[in-house]
Amino acid sequence: MTQRPETDYEVIVIGAGVAGIYQIKRLIDIGIRATVLEGSDNLGGTWYNNRYPGARFDSESYTYGYSFSDELLNEWHWKERFSSQPENLKYLNYVADKFDLRRHMQFNSKVEAAHYNEEHGIWHLSLADGRKMSSRFVIMAIGLLSQPTLPNIEGMEDFKGPSFHTYYWPHEGIDLKGKKVGIIGTGATAIQIIPVIAEEADELYVFQRRPNWSAPLNNSPISDEEMADIRSRYDEIFETCSLSPGGFVHRIDPRSFYEVSREERLALWDKLYDEPGFGIWLANFREIFMDEAANEEFSEYIADRIRQRVNDPVTADKLIPKDHGFGVQRVPLETRYFEAYNRDNVHLIDIQENPLERVTETGLRTAAGDHDLDVIIYSTGFDAMTGAFDHIDIRGVGGASLKDKWFEAPATFLGMMVHDYPNLLMPNGPQSGSASTNYPRGIESGVNWIMDLLEFMHEHGYTRAEPTEEAEQQWTAEVVEMYKIMLMRKAKSWFTGYNSNVKGHEAGRVRHLVYNGGTPKYMARINTVAASGYDGVRFDTDPAVDEKETARSLA
Ligand code: NAP
């Protein structure tokens, strides 16, 4: 029997972030020849890169950690309810070291291309440093928000001082004392940064195009006693997450918005506003997400809270969104964000009123005049979901480019597989369960599903898996259909594929990037597919494969 060509690895995982770390753990546990290729010089993904002041979870820390190891759960002490970036990176390093995963990771290994060779059923990868690698499977653990985008403002190269995107915050830190700092953007990232650097910078100019709805994070330390209690309840905590649409500990209020009085609604909102985390969004009435009138009443409640916290009424009004209601975009959680605008050294510059015209050698010019700055921070977001994929030249059957296929909008099967891209797997791809949920909870489900698929293939001697076109169309139609009931469909945000800095993804056309059905529905769906023997996936056995070799490589 003909031997199939050897590959360097059976599985190559791209990305050593939260997803890649768990993925490689599961692969090496069953002895698969696998490696992780990571572009950065160390592991951690999001938590390696985003080192800006104030960066922290807005998922409860103990729901963000991995759930796969009781030993790990019992060893790790989360210090804060919403843990900060340095601690999160420490955690991921701790996990990698504890399970000896680092030796399966190759850093400074940026993948530039992945091409599928149909004749041999092999993926060929090209790295930025010229290396070539091959594998039977490629697992894309490249993150949803890992491709930062800069605005296209004239003169950006002219600025004489330091300027950088928040994703590339200098690892050595930057001293902002005595400096005039400008920050462009008021998304979740900026909302974390602004109150922190307001205390350090001499003057802080916030260049805001559209304000975001935001509510308090209400962070606090976790004592030894509380951590012991959390440890004793981990099963219950993860169970709660698995039953909530968002994969959080917050459960939607079971009552209808309309069946309770205005007083009862206010009582709930007052309570949620003072509680930690996403409760204000996710433990609210379900109508907030779908019903214009309910959403408007709640948005007005939050607007009042903003007015109470910001001294200057004109500034307060500018901080209140007018073009969308609360929670139809991803809600940033804040710590004394609104109070930052009560400081004399913080200036809100409305760039909708007076657009940014150019970057000069010494600062930023708006239609109203020049602002002299020492440092410019671009907090201008990401080419979400598909951006990181677009930066790798991925070609499947017949040389088809994934970037082209997904340009209008992604099409996937369960957010984990793509027709015409055999053996390309995504634990957290566009349209998967992790995109709009507590990220690691979704990741673990995705990785587990992929591992079951690989084991199924091994049991049956299959070497190639590809979703059918019909299955892909059906899943994508389900994803599209779910947008129709959500107010979110009207928002200009990364949930709808909007990005003013990416050609073709400017406002106007909704790209259905996110699965909105929630965790329980997603889990039921993917488990049903697995239980059916992967209905919707076509499996093949490569005729050129020596069976003994297959067994050896997947064993
Ligand atoms: P973002 O939410 O997309 O915000 C980008 C900001 O930059 C917006 O205010 C946007 O204004 C502005 N902007 C973009 N291009 C601009 C331009 N050309 N001119 C002027 N303003 C421009 O990005 P982000 O704040 O980095 O957050 C992205 C996502 O990361 C969040 O939604 C969240 O999922 C995640 N995140 C999570 C955490 C956490 O877990 N704690 C923290 C931070 C971020 P417009 O709104 O007008 O477009």
Side-chain angles (χ1 to χ4, degrees):
M1 200 180 273
T2 335
Q3 283 275 346
R4 73 175 166 182
E6 279 290 348
T7 52
D8 295 315
Y9 299 96
E10 188 63 18
V11 180
I12 290 180
V13 179
I14 308 182
V18 179
I21 291 171
Y22 180 47
Q23 184 66 71
I24 192 67
K25 162 87 175 77
R26 290 292 315 270
L27 288 166
I28 59 162
D29 274 355
I30 59 167
I32 290 187
R33 274 186 306 129
T35 192
V36 180
L37 302 179
E38 165 58 55
S40 297
D41 60 6
N42 216 325
L43 59 85
T46 280
W47 300 107
Y48 178 78
N49 287 292
N50 286 287
R51 295 179 184 228
Y52 60 81
R56 58 177 65 252
F57 293 152
D58 43 23
S59 305
E60 281 72 9
S61 309
Y62 47 86
T63 70
Y64 194 100
Y66 296 110
S67 71
F68 67 81
S69 158
D70 286 344
E71 212 176 276
L72 175 64
L73 289 168
N74 285 323
E75 280 168 12
W76 187 260
H77 183 147
W78 292 106
K79 305 276 184 343
E80 291 178 279
R81 191 166 296 277
F82 303 98
S83 176
S84 67
Q85 178 272 330
E87 191 68 7
N88 306 342
L89 187 57
K90 212 160 109 187
Y91 170 75
L92 294 175
N93 276 285
Y94 180 83
V95 174
D97 292 337
K98 177 176 174 62
F99 298 105
D100 198 14
L101 305 177
R102 205 178 282 277
R103 67 197 172 92
H104 302 284
M105 296 175 177
Q106 303 180 48
F107 301 118
N108 299 309
S109 298
K110 189 171 164 34
V111 177
E112 287 192 329
H115 293 181
Y116 185 67
N117 177 315
E118 214 182 342
E119 189 191 344
H120 297 124
I122 289 177
W123 281 95
H124 292 280
L125 276 62
S126 308
L127 278 65
D129 59 10
R131 279 180 293 159
K132 308 272 183 215
M133 288 183 200
S134 60
S135 62
R136 180 92 18 202
F137 295 87
V138 174
I139 301 185
M140 309 295 288
I142 55 180
L144 309 176
L145 294 158
S146 50
Q147 193 59 51
T149 52
L150 286 167
N152 305 306
I153 311 174
E154 213 187 318
M156 281 169 66
E157 306 308 316
D158 298 345
F159 185 63
K160 296 285 188 219
S163 66
F164 44 84
H165 191 283
T166 50
Y167 191 73
Y168 300 116
W169 196 277
H171 283 203
E172 65 283 8
I174 178 164
D175 186 3
L176 299 177
K177 271 192 222 81
K179 300 273 186 353
K180 288 198 280 291
V181 179
I183 182 165
I184 303 176
T186 47
T189 301
I191 283 175
Q192 290 189 327
I193 296 174
I194 288 164
V196 180
I197 64 172
E199 294 188 0
E200 193 186 343
D202 198 16
E203 301 291 335
L204 176 61
Y205 296 85
V206 179
F207 294 85
Q208 172 183 270
R209 189 162 60 186
R210 292 182 309 138
N212 251 294
W213 293 104
S214 181
L217 177 66
N218 294 317
N219 191 19
S220 57
I222 297 181
S223 65
D224 289 351
E225 296 71 42
E226 194 185 350
M227 197 60 225
D229 174 58
I230 288 166
R231 285 198 188 104
S232 73
R233 292 187 298 106
Y234 263 129
D235 285 349
E236 176 197 322
I237 289 168
F238 290 127
E239 169 76 1
T240 306
C241 293
S242 74
L243 296 173
S244 88
F248 288 95
V249 282
H250 310 286
R251 304 284 297 273
I252 207 91
D253 195 286
R255 300 166 300 167
S256 160
F257 179 92
Y258 292 106
E259 82 188 23
V260 298
S261 65
R262 163 95 177 143
E263 286 65 38
E264 286 171 295
R265 296 204 277 274
L266 289 175
L268 174 70
W269 295 339
D270 283 349
K271 175 172 126 0
L272 294 176
Y273 200 83
D274 293 337
E275 282 181 358
F278 276 131
I280 191 73
W281 189 23
L282 304 177
N284 215 313
F285 303 103
R286 69 186 65 247
E287 287 84 350
I288 301 298
F289 297 92
M290 301 168 203
D291 179 296
E292 300 270 8
N295 183 279
E296 205 177 307
E297 184 179 317
F298 179 60
S299 300
E300 192 43 41
Y301 168 86
I302 297 287
D304 276 342
R305 289 295 202 139
I306 295 172
R307 290 184 197 105
Q308 287 157 20
R309 293 174 57 187
V310 179
N311 297 342
D312 173 31
V314 177
T315 304
D317 191 57
K318 284 188 186 304
L319 291 168
I320 297 171
K322 309 291 186 302
D323 68 332
H324 66 281
F326 185 97
V328 306
Q329 296 182 180
R330 196 322 196 140
V331 176
L333 294 179
E334 44 87 21
T335 303
R336 298 187 60 74
Y337 172 66
F338 293 106
E339 285 74 11
Y341 293 95
N342 296 334
R343 300 173 63 98
D344 291 339
N345 68 330
V346 177
H347 316 279
L348 183 62
I349 314 293
D350 182 345
I351 54 171
Q352 233 165 18
E353 205 169 83
N354 291 303
L356 278 176
E357 288 187 342
R358 64 167 297 133
V359 182
T360 66
E361 286 189 7
T362 55
L364 284 167
R365 180 172 302 156
T366 73
D370 280 2
H371 296 273
D372 276 350
L373 302 168
D374 301 310
V375 179
I376 299 177
I377 300 164
Y378 294 100
S379 187
T380 43
F382 297 86
D383 187 0
M385 314 287 289
T386 51
F389 286 86
D390 288 352
H391 275 75
I392 302 175
D393 178 27
I394 301 171
R395 292 182 186 264
V397 173
S401 145
L402 188 66
K403 183 176 177 179
D404 291 348
K405 175 174 168 128
W406 282 0
F407 181 73
E408 290 290 327
T412 72
F413 180 53
L414 308 175
M416 292 194 276
M417 303 177 85
V418 190
H419 177 66
D420 272 344
Y421 298 81
N423 295 359
L424 183 83
L425 302 165
M426 312 176 292
N428 55 334
Q431 306 182 337
S432 74
S434 26
S436 61
T437 59
N438 192 4
Y439 194 52
R441 304 277 61 75
I443 282 173
E444 282 190 347
S445 320
V447 169
N448 293 343
W449 192 87
I450 284 173
M451 292 310 298
D452 289 347
L453 176 83
L454 293 179
E455 292 193 32
F456 175 87
M457 290 178 72
H458 168 54
E459 276 162 25
H460 292 79
Y462 297 138
T463 52
R464 184 187 194 275
E466 182 193 354
T468 64
E469 196 167 9
E470 299 70 46
E472 181 175 277
Q473 282 169 355
Q474 197 192 346
W475 176 253
T476 303
E478 271 179 62
V479 170
V480 171
E481 198 56 33
M482 267 177 287
Y483 270 77
K484 292 189 181 151
I485 56 168
M486 309 294 285
L487 294 174
M488 165 214 289
R489 70 189 181 278
K490 298 183 176 177
K492 279 175 160 182
S493 88
W494 67 262
F495 281 5
T496 49
Y498 159 77
N499 192 315
S500 70
N501 306 318
V502 180
K503 203 162 179 284
H505 297 175
E506 303 94 340
R509 182 168 45 84
V510 175
R511 299 174 74 236
H512 303 95
L513 301 179
V514 172
Y515 173 79
N516 287 308
T519 302
K521 206 165 163 180
Y522 183 72
M523 289 306 297
R525 186 75 162 77
I526 65 173
N527 289 340
T528 304
V529 170
S532 70
Y534 299 92
D535 204 7
V537 180
R538 206 187 100 204
F539 293 101
D540 289 301
T541 309
D542 182 345
V545 173
D546 180 314
E547 277 170 23
K548 280 194 214 107
E549 206 266 339
T550 315
R552 199 177 65 232
S553 57
L554 265 176

